[in-house]
Amino acid sequence: MANARLFLPIHWPTAGASMCGTIIQKSGPMDYMEVLFTGLDPGSRRLSPAWEESTDSCSRPLAIHRLGDMPAMDRFHWGYAPSWWKRRPVANAPLTTLLRGSAVWRPLLSQRVLVPADGWYEPAEDEGKPGQYIHASDGKPVYIAAITAWRPGNAHGKQDGLAIITDGGKYDGQERPVVLPVDAARVWVDPATPIINALGLACTPWADSSFRWRPAALQ
């Protein structure tokens, strides 16, 4: 591993852009849940009616959380705007801003969720060339770190929205999201994980042997 190239989380659309062309959520909801919570009885995992497909699914990604009394999956509003916020909802939460203790994000750090995906697209560095489709080398889902203001019982609106954690790096002017391996994702979403430990996971680059790249044209 000493000579292994480190994987840095890939590009994510900037705030306001559609996420559907970047990540792929084609597996069934329970497929995403069972990878994380293999030891749980099926009755102890909840799927909200909100997870079902809708015409608004591009701006309402599926996300896994443990904000209630059991692991659950809901569709979250993509973008967060607290009641005092005068600008458009913010879709990305830069890791550097979180580490500085931003007043916007600090209250949300204990409300960590995961956006699951089968894979995602990274654009080519050279214009006109095909981009890359990236997925886990073991075929399992990947999990994108996120935070939210939502609590069970609330509506899924912009004041209770979700924001993707980005690593602050840029690719073609775009932010890069934090993508976690399964074991790290399980720790991230655990409400018992101290905030400082969760941020440590978000700061960790993962060896690229955990992922595979292929031309996007094959997808």
Side-chain angles (χ1 to χ4, degrees), residues 61-207:
L62 289 169
I64 296 169
H65 64 87
R66 293 184 59 184
L67 302 175
D69 57 359
M70 64 182 71
M73 175 174 280
D74 288 271
R75 281 199 179 278
F76 285 71
H77 179 87
W78 187 48
Y80 171 59
S83 58
W84 49 268
W85 191 251
K86 304 302 181 183
R87 308 172 196 171
R88 66 188 301 176
V90 183
N92 300 328
L95 183 56
T96 52
T97 304
L98 269 62
L99 294 174
R100 289 199 301 266
S102 164
V104 175
W105 304 121
R106 185 171 59 246
L108 277 56
L109 290 177
S110 62
Q111 306 221 146
R112 300 180 299 274
V113 302
L114 295 163
V115 177
D118 297 274
W120 67 91
Y121 292 102
E122 179 176 292
E125 294 187 28
D126 298 326
E127 186 176 353
K129 292 187 177 181
Q132 296 288 312
Y133 177 73
I134 304 110
H135 60 94
S137 57
D138 60 6
K140 294 180 180 179
V142 295
Y143 297 89
I144 300 168
I147 51 179
T148 183
W150 182 82
R151 292 183 180 275
N154 290 3
H156 284 284
K158 63 182 181 181
Q159 292 187 14
D160 299 277
L162 168 151
I164 300 298
I165 308 298
T166 60
D167 72 346
K170 300 258 184 188
Y171 183 92
D172 194 24
Q174 308 283 352
E175 291 283 342
R176 296 184 174 189
V178 171
V179 179
L180 301 174
V182 171
D183 289 343
R186 191 179 294 117
V187 176
W188 171 268
V189 80
D190 187 343
T193 299
I195 290 173
I196 188 65
N197 292 9
L199 290 175
L201 290 173
C203 292
T204 303
W206 306 100

Side-chain angles (χ1 to χ4, degrees), residues 47-54 60 62 73-76 156:
L47 294 179
S48 164
W51 71 262
E52 296 179 351
E53 288 292 341
S54 71
R60 297 183 64 218
L62 289 169
M73 175 174 280
D74 288 271
R75 281 199 179 278
F76 285 71
H156 284 284

